[in-house]
Amino acid sequence: MDKRYEVYCLMDARFYDTPARARGDDTAFAQARRPAPDTWQRSELDDWIVLRPDGARLPLQGWKIHVSACLDNAARVLTDVWDYCVPRRIPFKFLPGKDELLLANAKYAHRGSSGKFVTIYPADEEQLERVLTELDTVLGGRPGPYVLSDLRWGEGPLYVRYGAFAERFCVSPAGEVEPAIEDGGGQLVPDVRGPTFQVPDWVELPGFLAPHLAARGGARVADLPYRLESALHFSNSGGLYAGEDLRTGERVVLKEARPYAGLTADGRDAVARLHRERETLERLSGLDCVPALRDHFVMGEHHFLVEEFVEGKELNHLFVERYPLTRLRTDERVTADYTSWAVGVYDRVERAVTRIHERGVVIGDLQPSNIIVRPHGGVVLIDFEGSADVSQERPQSLGALGFTAPRERRGTAVDDYALACLKLFLFMPLTSLFSIDPGKAGQLAREAARVFPLPDGFFDQAVRTIAGADGATGAEPRIRPDDEGWAKVRESLSRGILAEATPERDDRLFPGDIAQFATPGGGLGIAYGAAGVLYALDVTGAGRHPDHEEWLVRRALHPEPGTRLGLYDGLHGVAYVLDHLGHRREALKILDQCAGERWKQLGLDLQGGLSGIGLNLLHFAWATGDPALHDEARDVVDAVAARLGPADSVPEVSGGRHPYAGLMRGSAGPALLLLRWYEHTGDSAFLDLAATALRQDLRRCVMRPEGEMEVDEGWRTMPYLADGSVGIGLVLDGYLGHRQDDRFRTASAAIRRAAEGGFYIEPGLFHGLAGMILHLSRAHPAGTAARRDPVVADHIRRLARYAVVHRGRLVFPGEESLRLSLDLGSGSAGVLLALGAALHDRPVRLPFLGPRGEPRRLGQSEPLGQEVAERR
């Protein structure tokens, strides 16, 4: 599970939203409610309040000061910084309240930025030294979390780092647009904000900082009686390490806690939770269902527990290996064997929980990754940071997505809820949906009981625990794979999308994935923004929506600094959709804006890089007849071809190697561009290059036991449209429409099998079941896929597993299934588009990806005219 999503669940019970909107008077500091001092300017930037004196002149980059603070001393720290900086007219910014400070220091906050409460901008190194020296006499020694990216001044809470003062952006070695600073040669390079202090090569450390750098790292791991073998996990709380006790030779686990960091919702830091885990393990000593405690110590201000290393596998990993519904073919014996194993594991976990409760302990974070199954089948429960005494009747402070109890649950009811979720998870692992709609428990229980040979009433108590007494009787959403079903689901999905539009907001129009808030302009593009939703509504026959189109036009013509340029993540995609919707003049203005950016340094990918940009330029060149656009498109194609490399390599990116495979970020994107350029020119050299790019991605794929081909990510294989094999298959089939290749045809058939599985963890287009429907539907004429292919029909019916009825309309969950989403990549718009590809009476496709093997005449690179004719 991606822990980034948790914080975006705090604002709204139904949709992901940015924590920046949580700003309110209840937890705000007094200075956040105060107007700017006379002759000062006050502004807001993301989560920060920025104060700058009139006429202040600052360099574009330099040494900045960060001040850290705890929840209980932050108000006083801010007052002292304000009282120091305002009379001296030194610019600064600060987090406006305790809520924002807690989120910045939470357990899964970004380790490179955690701890930063106030940022001060000295004009030069002389002022830097003066501010550090003088402010240290006021704040020195006050507690606060260590800022890992910075150098600590004295005993804190002051820290320094060299970085950007002004908003500037560049393309990173991975081809991403990132905040930038200028290097010694005047080139913009990424302003790296990692979890360690680093001085850029071209910057000289001021002499007055040297003693503070020398003071770092006084405590040494070599002084311990333990040898660290590997890091198992990192979070803002600290690390988890496998090691060896050098005195006994025993394998152990060392758990690290950083003081004042890794906060949970109750405000407790990692050290407090580590102390609680130590007390709990001492209390549970002698039980074979918990790890034995071996030691505890403090090193360099960090606290450590040493626990027994438990041999075995985490239950979540065993589940992935054994779950039968992910297989192409299962029989009664396989299903029965799995059922026997899963029931046995659950019974042992339930008995372990009972034994722990009998010792007066609430576990507080029971979930599959905290359950170790020993080789002989016994279970051990690990991670007692969130534990509590039964008598305290506390709400849950720490929990996993999909296993966290509602706030009203207290004491052992927290573990009872997690046990109920575990019982359902082992047979229908969609428990994250319960945070949106607890009533889904009944639906999933009924489906699991139909598939697995379980005793009558097996899930009854679990469903009551999750959803209440009536949870088992809720109506199940149904989606029929026929014309009548299509009409109903299109009406319901489109109305559900439009009902949630927020035209009063500037950051996004339709609720979607957290990617909307990760970068400037994230709510505009095709993948996760308004452009993708409006495109899906239009191509599926759900109508045009001029007011929403105007919202998109206004914001795309005046984008935020740092807005990305790509086809799926930025302004090129917005231009494509606006042109598709008839706003060519505005679309061309957006293209002009993009032309002034340093796009040639981008990666080769389709999502945000040169492949998507080249396809879009070719589209506009064909649609407008503008030779300048044609020349630009040719420049992009040449750049992609030059950087592609041979078939047995991975393509180059600026300063490094590209780590991805698949349609959105792998070599399939360059292959699509080269294929379309071949169709445009008839030059077979570009078809050869497309084959080279496809072979690069196929090299990163593996054949699974049942003959499915999937992308190998090292620790898992991926079939999905965005980053898996199915996306590669979309381009591979287009290539096979022009040239026969036995290896490619074999791969195409194996990729199709990857799209025929009986279970996918999410419904979305990019990383879920909808992408499989889109892929399989391309082999059939418009509107016929569900009639011709029973797998497509079954997939459409299975979408009901994920569907939630919200305000009387169907809506689908997004990534991680913790909240609903309306966007194309992860939510309802993508499901709508996939259903349209299978059921709509006119062709429905993603940009530049026509039906499989569709022949094209020279000069036809997904022309606007053909698309408009098909829609009409």
Side-chain angles (χ1 to χ4, degrees), residues 289-545:
C289 58
V290 300
L293 179 65
R294 299 301 191 215
D295 194 5
H296 57 89
F297 61 89
V298 179
M299 183 184 72
E301 304 175 23
H302 291 203
H303 294 239
F304 289 83
L305 280 189
V306 183
E307 300 175 11
E308 164 198 9
F309 184 94
V310 179
E311 296 289 346
K313 285 189 175 182
E314 293 180 9
L315 177 56
N316 58 327
H317 292 159
L318 280 175
F319 170 81
V320 170
E321 293 173 8
R322 303 185 66 138
Y323 189 59
L325 296 193
T326 59
R327 302 179 184 178
L328 289 181
R329 290 170 291 276
T330 58
D331 55 32
E332 290 184 1
R333 181 187 60 80
V334 170
T335 305
D337 287 348
Y338 174 80
T339 301
S340 176
W341 173 81
V343 170
V345 169
Y346 176 81
D347 287 345
R348 289 190 287 277
V349 172
E350 187 178 41
R351 288 195 296 271
V353 172
T354 298
R355 295 171 69 191
I356 291 169
H357 285 179
E358 289 171 350
R359 294 275 184 108
V361 172
V362 176
I363 299 165
D365 190 14
L366 180 66
Q367 43 127 331
S369 63
N370 285 344
I371 299 168
I372 304 294
V373 181
R374 293 186 184 273
H376 57 72
V379 299
V380 177
L381 310 187
I382 62 172
D383 199 346
F384 288 86
E385 287 185 24
S387 61
D389 190 280
V390 167
S391 64
Q392 293 177 327
E393 288 291 311
R394 285 173 43 197
Q396 191 170 9
S397 62
L398 186 68
L401 311 177
F403 294 86
T404 303
R407 290 292 298 169
E408 65 271 13
R409 308 290 173 100
R410 296 287 192 277
T412 56
V414 169
D415 292 344
D416 293 341
Y417 181 90
L419 270 175
C421 290
L422 179 65
K423 179 176 270 193
L424 273 163
F425 172 88
L426 287 168
F427 297 95
M428 197 58 59
L430 301 174
T431 56
S432 294
L433 293 170
F434 302 159
S435 65
I436 308 170
D437 180 7
K440 293 293 286 186
Q443 176 189 344
L444 297 179
R446 290 189 288 273
E447 182 168 357
R450 289 192 292 266
V451 175
F452 296 94
L454 292 161
D456 290 344
F458 180 77
F459 293 112
D460 288 355
Q461 182 56 52
V463 170
R464 285 192 291 270
T465 299
I466 294 165
D470 298 328
T473 61
E476 295 184 18
R478 295 187 184 277
I479 302 174
R480 289 169 42 191
D482 55 31
D483 292 344
E484 183 179 351
W486 167 234
K488 288 182 177 179
V489 73
R490 178 176 63 184
E491 171 72 8
S492 186
L493 283 174
S494 60
R495 290 181 63 195
I497 289 169
L498 295 169
E500 302 300 332
T502 56
E504 70 280 3
R505 290 179 60 158
D506 289 326
D507 56 345
R508 55 101 159 134
L509 178 58
F510 299 102
D513 190 71
I514 67 173
Q516 293 183 327
F517 312 111
T519 60
L524 303 181
I526 290 181
Y528 302 111
V533 176
L534 295 175
Y535 176 81
L537 290 170
D538 183 55
V539 298
T540 57
R544 291 275 306 279
H545 305 281

Side-chain angles (χ1 to χ4, degrees), residues 772-781 785-786 789 792 834-835 837-839 851:
M772 309 303 158
I773 295 172
L774 178 72
H775 176 77
L776 295 173
S777 297
R778 294 174 70 246
H780 306 284
D789 189 340
V792 173
L835 288 170
L839 300 170

Side-chain angles (χ1 to χ4, degrees), residues 221-227 244-248 252 254 295 297:
V221 174
D223 297 332
L224 295 174
Y226 303 101
R227 179 172 62 86
E244 178 188 4
D245 188 327
L246 296 174
R247 298 162 297 188
T248 65
V252 292
L254 291 88
D295 194 5
F297 61 89

